Amino acid sequence: ETGVTQTPRHLVMGMTNKKSLKCEQHLGHNAMYWYKQSAKKPLELMFVYSLEERVENNSVPSRFSPECPNSSHLFLHLHTLQPEDSALYLCASSQAHDRVSGELFFGEGSRLTVL
Amino acid sequence: GQNIDQPTEMTATEGAIVQINCTYQTSGFNGLFWYQQHAGEAPTFLSYNVLDGLEEKGRFSSFLSRSKGYSYLLLKELQMKDSASYLCAVLDSNYQLIWGAGTKLIIKP
């Protein structure tokens, strides 16, 4: 139990579907992250929110849309995805998006399969 | 470009010692992290090195040489539960984490 909870753990969707991934952290952190993890590839940072404001968007396609309503919750809205978007999507939190932001607390991820 | 290199897979025997290497080329350096990720689970923080030398934490130790752009994670008295992927990551000058692809460690009885 890392203090970061992701739902759903598994998701299968067609390319025309719309779905959302949810992340909740119970650690009192003020920065939250979405990462994409594909087999045998480095973690890819998608979005960073610090104090509920997006501070980074690493050129992610618009079919991925993040939402951070408060410092404890983070969503990733998905629509018209492609098969190559199939991956493990990890949420993480940290105390602050600053010099100590390398110590991240991860959720167990949402395994997404796009058919 | 920025790059982190670590072996894709390693195999070791229960009770033995294994060293997982990580070399990096990044724009600046603000520390190096090791994470452990068991299959189907969340990555968890293991260690942080920002100064040269060896940091020991129980059976695990992490070493850093900034001049060589090199780190290793040393696991002693290996146990079956140490079978996992080990991720190396560097915090660059913009305080962005640059990740390696991870090393899958297989422990055999």
Side-chain angles (χ1 to χ4, degrees):
Chain A
E1 177 60 50
T2 64
V4 180
T5 305
Q6 289 187 243
T7 55
R9 293 293 310 278
H10 299 273
L11 178 63
V12 179
M13 59 187 290
M15 290 191 286
T16 58
N17 291 158
K18 288 185 180 181
K19 298 285 184 182
S20 295
L21 306 181
K22 178 183 175 182
C23 176
E24 183 174 0
Q25 59 98 359
H26 313 276
L27 300 169
H29 291 164
N30 55 25
M32 296 187 77
Y33 309 75
W34 278 117
Y35 277 93
K36 177 182 180 182
Q37 187 174 38
S38 303
K40 299 185 180 180
K41 288 187 177 181
L43 286 174
E44 297 176 46
L45 179 64
M46 300 177 72
F47 300 102
V48 180
Y49 278 83
S50 179
L51 299 172
E52 301 155 42
E53 288 192 16
R54 188 193 302 180
V55 296
E56 285 185 50
N57 172 0
N58 286 5
S59 303
V60 177
S62 60
R63 57 186 184 268
F64 295 92
S65 174
E67 179 188 1
C68 187
N70 55 59
S71 60
S72 300
H73 294 86
L74 186 65
F75 295 89
L76 187 62
H77 304 300
L78 317 169
H79 64 97
T80 60
L81 294 189
Q82 304 298 311
E84 60 264 28
D85 296 324
S86 298
L88 182 68
Y89 289 83
L90 289 165
C91 174
S93 69
S94 69
Q95 184 59 38
H97 184 61
D98 58 15
R99 61 171 55 196
V100 195
S101 61
E103 185 173 353
L104 304 178
F105 293 76
F106 286 90
E108 294 189 322
S110 295
R111 172 70 62 186
L112 173 66
T113 302
V114 181
L115 302 176
Chain B
Q2 307 203 86
N3 193 49
I4 308 280
D5 283 319
Q6 50 181 133
T8 303
E9 188 173 299
M10 298 181 70
T11 302
T13 304
E14 190 177 16
I17 299 173
V18 71
Q19 178 175 310
I20 303 174
N21 296 325
C22 171
T23 57
Y24 63 89
Q25 294 174 309
T26 56
S27 303
F29 179 84
N30 280 301
L32 185 142
F33 295 80
W34 285 96
Y35 281 79
Q36 179 190 58
Q37 186 178 23
H38 286 101
E41 297 185 13
T44 55
F45 169 81
L46 282 179
S47 66
Y48 169 64
N49 293 68
V50 67
L51 300 176
D52 289 352
L54 187 68
E55 295 274 348
E56 297 187 70
K57 194 185 292 186
R59 294 188 298 115
F60 292 11
S61 303
S62 56
F63 171 83
L64 175 67
S65 169
R66 289 172 296 171
S67 62
K68 295 182 180 177
Y70 168 69
S71 172
Y72 66 73
L73 182 68
L74 190 72
L75 291 73
K76 301 178 184 176
E77 301 169 19
L78 286 170
Q79 302 176 10
M80 298 302 293
K81 67 178 181 180
D82 297 329
S83 293
S85 289
Y86 292 86
L87 312 180
C88 174
V90 171
L91 204 58
D92 71 7
S93 57
N94 294 319
Y95 294 100
Q96 283 210 23
L97 266 179
I98 310 301
W99 294 86
T103 298
K104 183 178 180 180
L105 178 63
I106 299 168
I107 309 298
K108 295 187 174 179

